[in-house]
Amino acid sequence: MLKPNLFLNSLLQKIQKESCQQSFRKLFDLYHAQLLQYAGFLTGNKQIAEEVVSEVFVYLWKNRLSIDGIRKINSFLYLKTKHLSIDHIRKVKDLSCVSIDHASALQLKDASNPEGTLIHKEWLLELERTINALPERCQLIYRLIKEEGMKYDEAASFLDVSKKTVENQMAIATKRLREVMKSYMAYEDKKQLRKFSYFFF
């Protein structure tokens, strides 16, 4: 039996080299539920979450020839979900549309009403604004680590700075983001929070 990483690599190779739809379906089945939950957490809206995840997989299929350039498919899928969720939130004008199914996502205080949904969307946009407002080097280091999937020593080498500098700048970034998170949200599922917060913090 193939180990998880070898199995995943095998799927990706078949998708890229053979346009194998069966392998793509297996990849879809592996990630769909967790990406849907993550998108639901980000958007606070079940319908939008489903649209986001569909777009993620459509994008992956259309760009399957570039899969070999994706070092970490797990991080890629989550980050693509994050970015598309933010794009959808910016476009949505009706803040009172269908609220997220509480059984399948992290819950916000009063997320079932329009005010709670608005707070959720404002929170996600505020996180993005906070990242954009970080000092230039701090923001660059944060994006290299969290969006490009670099390790701390890789980012340090890439920027020609010490690993300690990278650690310090990441500490600054995560502290500011956590402050934003605390001011907006009340969580009930600590385990799920730890799982999803990796992609921000």
Side-chain angles (χ1 to χ4, degrees):
M1 183 175 181
L2 288 175
K3 294 181 179 180
N5 286 343
L6 293 177
F7 174 68
L8 191 55
N9 288 337
S10 176
L11 288 182
L12 294 174
Q13 287 180 6
K14 288 181 179 179
I15 292 169
Q16 183 203 15
K17 296 179 179 179
E18 304 172 23
S19 293
C20 179
Q21 294 185 14
Q22 184 177 6
S23 295
F24 186 78
R25 180 68 198 188
K26 289 179 180 178
L27 184 69
F28 177 91
D29 290 340
L30 278 174
Y31 283 100
H32 180 265
Q34 52 191 295
L35 292 179
L36 185 60
Q37 190 174 22
Y38 184 51
F41 160 66
L42 294 176
T43 64
N45 185 282
K46 184 177 181 180
Q47 183 178 343
I48 292 178
E50 291 172 345
E51 291 175 6
V52 164
V53 175
S54 293
E55 287 182 26
V56 169
F57 283 104
V58 167
Y59 177 89
L60 184 62
W61 178 255
K62 287 183 176 179
N63 293 275
R64 60 190 179 279
L65 298 181
S66 303
I67 283 178
D68 61 342
I70 300 173
R71 293 185 300 169
K72 298 179 180 179
I73 189 65
N74 182 68
S75 294
F76 169 81
L77 290 172
Y78 272 93
L79 287 169
K80 191 67 179 175
T81 300
K82 170 188 163 185
H83 293 153
L84 287 177
S85 294
I86 292 172
D87 287 344
H88 271 268
I89 287 173
R90 285 173 174 157
K91 294 174 184 176
V92 170
K93 295 180 180 179
D94 181 6
L95 297 175
S96 62
C97 49
V98 183
S99 60
I100 189 69
D101 180 356
H102 289 182
S104 66
L106 287 173
Q107 295 185 30
L108 286 168
K109 184 187 295 183
D110 299 326
S112 60
N113 61 45
E115 182 181 0
T117 304
L118 175 59
I119 290 173
H120 197 173
K121 293 179 179 182
E122 287 180 343
W123 170 79
L124 185 57
L125 293 176
E126 184 62 27
L127 277 180
E128 188 69 11
R129 284 193 290 267
T130 301
I131 294 170
N132 291 334
L134 290 170
E136 185 176 355
R137 183 166 66 169
C138 185
Q139 180 183 160
L140 176 58
I141 288 174
Y142 176 86
R143 293 193 183 280
L144 287 175
I145 299 295
K146 290 300 181 182
E147 298 187 5
E148 299 299 326
M150 285 189 180
K151 296 179 180 179
Y152 280 35
D153 54 353
E154 291 175 332
S157 177
F158 181 77
L159 296 173
D160 195 22
V161 298
S162 68
K163 185 177 179 181
K164 187 66 176 178
T165 295
V166 172
E167 292 172 348
N168 289 340
Q169 293 300 308
M170 282 298 293
I172 291 171
T174 53
K175 180 181 179 182
R176 294 190 184 181
L177 289 168
R178 287 183 189 279
E179 288 171 352
V180 172
M181 178 188 74
K182 289 178 182 178
S183 68
Y184 273 84
M185 299 190 72
Y187 295 99
E188 298 179 6
D189 190 332
K190 300 274 175 82
K191 184 177 180 180
Q192 290 283 31
L193 170 60
R194 286 195 296 271
K195 174 183 175 182
F196 290 150
S197 64
Y198 167 79
F199 296 95
F200 287 104
F201 314 129

